[in-house]
């Protein structure tokens, strides 16, 4: 059995920053450290960066290392969960990093890894907006569109890795080219990148003057907040584009309700954080109108509560779960 | 613990016929009885029909009733699994039938019910084409399109009922009207009914002379076997229509592979039984070309093996599972 004095490290490996948070046995945060991910080029340096950040957070909390009973990591990209290896992460440019083996050797405690969207949704299930629901569908809209499902207390996963790649549900066989190489995936319509591209087009045409003023036509300047500001200042075309994207996301979520029959749909990610009401409303409407009645009845649609902390909280909870499963 | 002398009844409640099979402790069939479902109008008569069929199969096997340790039923329509009630079954015209309570009272042993596609897929998982796979996606193409998922040994289900309504995945917002009241569900393109409608149109236009000869333009005459015969006799338009429908099913299955990451996809139902090679080939091609590589790798696509017995076998196995869970 775990004791109150036990501590857990949750680690969130993002494309922009990495964050380590040390939690006590009741998952109260004791210390947090962040570093810029891009400061660590390549998998070998990346590993050193992760180790250093965890070392720092333990030192900052001032606890003996042996009180750390487990470490959990939320990672982007393709993972082999059984072997504990980060196979490929296009955003980081890292490949074949045996995270679990390396970190277990260094820290002398059990280490688990999980897909970032899975782990964030697990965080919301354990501590946030979807607490204790029997079946949770997590939908995260940012640069891409990510999904996760927590089913009867566990992350729904594929044999060796993660699944719930809802951003690559195939909706329009003749649609736009997707990052995965196919045409018409959900991401090509509803991701922040797709929206930014459409908005930039409108700006060039003169239909989104505030976007033009705030960001020009450079997609990398058009962030979720930029969209929000432009709408607040009166860019009606931008509101139309975001609303259309949210409706389209609703088509996919309504199908997912038919497939998975979730009790709670948690919406998160940068775009949802910028437009929480718009997204909740459009997704609720889509489920009401497009899902089958017995499955639509009683689905709660909520916004994620934990923000940036979902990853570290979910990762720490996973580490504790794995520890308890071994010491039962 | 269950003993070898224990027996289980599997019951399959179909729109056309009902079938009860008595199995021994090793799931060897001891006796089978069938009746026409339409001989029992309304829920009350339906219940009597089910009871009579089960009584008959026990009598035929000549075993004492107390050796029957459990009864499992595969049912169409909307079920409340927790309360054991058949809420509504449009095909049967039955409503609010408390199957579990009534049958437990009559037979004095535990009774479980399940959705017909779920139970059939569970049968294939336990005894057929998907034995012991970690994650099985069942895809059954008949009058409609049904789906099921067996995940880590259990039927994936919604809170009170069944889910995996893959026939109502929403693919074409401006597509044909579906039986569920919306437009463009998968069923409107890939079900046998949708195919029959398209084929009848071709027959009227003079493009499917063998269909015209075999069935005229009446959809109720155009069964899966009719399609097969017309193709064998040279109706190229019919082959084109079936192939197109199988390709479209492939688009949905490729998305489902991205969502669920199954190890095995089991294809079954009347249409697949009529064209097993065509369906396996088109679905494999779609997964290869349209699913994400890490999820597509290693997915086995197989035809169902148990045919009409999948339901009774799955139902009997579910009854045994429920018994064991209670007597552990």
């Amino acid at each position: 059995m775990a004791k109150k004095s036990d501590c857990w490290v949750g680690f969130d490996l993002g494309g922009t920053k990495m964050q380590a948070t040390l939690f006590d046995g009741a998952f109260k945060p004791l210390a947090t450290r962040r570093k810029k991910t891009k400061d660590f080029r390549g998998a070998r340096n990346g590993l050193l960066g992760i180790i250093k950040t965890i070392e720092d957070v333990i030192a900052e909390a001032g606890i003996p290392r042996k009180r750390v009973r487990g470490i959990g990591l939320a990672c982007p990209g393709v993972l082999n969960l059984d072997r504990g290896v980060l196979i490929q992460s296009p955003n980081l440019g890292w490949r074949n990093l045996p995270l679990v083996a390396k970190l277990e050797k260094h820290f002398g405690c059990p280490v688990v890894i999980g897909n970032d969207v899975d782990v964030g949704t697990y965080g919301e299930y354990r501590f946030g907006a979807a607490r204790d629901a029997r079946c949770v569908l997590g939908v995260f809209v940012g640069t891409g569109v990510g999904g996760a499902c927590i089913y009867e207390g566990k992350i729904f996963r594929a044999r060796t890795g993660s699944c719930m790649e809802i951003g690559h549900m195939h909706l329009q066989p003749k649609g736009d080219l997707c990052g995965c190489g196919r045409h018409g995936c959900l991401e090509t319509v509803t991701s922040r990148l797709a929206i930014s591209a459409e908005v930039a087009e409108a700006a060039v045409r003169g239909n989104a003057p505030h976007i033009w003023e705030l960001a020009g036509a450079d997609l990398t300047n058009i962030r979720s907040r930029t969209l929000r500001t432009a709408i607040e200042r009166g860019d009606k075309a931008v509101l139309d584009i975001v609303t259309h994207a949210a409706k389209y996301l609703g088509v996919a979520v309504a199908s997912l309700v038919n497939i998975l029959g979730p009790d709670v749909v948690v919406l998160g990610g940068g775009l949802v954080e910028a437009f929480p009401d718009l997204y909740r409303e459009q997704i609720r409407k889509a489920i009401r109108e497009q899902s089958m009645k017995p499955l639509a009845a009683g689905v709660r649609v909520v916004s994620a509560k934990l923000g940036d902390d979902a990853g570290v909280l979910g990762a720490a909870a996973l580490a504790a779960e794995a520890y308890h499963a071994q010491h039962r």
Side-chain angles (χ1 to χ4, degrees), chain A residues 185-197:
Chain A
C185 293
L186 182 63
E187 280 198 2
T188 64
V189 187
T190 64
S191 66
R192 208 251 306 143
L193 200 55
I195 292 173
S196 297

Side-chain angles (χ1 to χ4, degrees), chain A residues 10-14 17-21 32-35 53 308-309 312:
Chain A
F11 194 95
D12 191 359
L13 181 58
K17 64 172 174 46
M18 48 175 77
Q19 174 182 340
T21 299
T32 285
R33 276 299 177 104
R34 292 187 188 87
K35 294 194 198 297
T53 312
D308 276 357
D309 289 333
V312 290

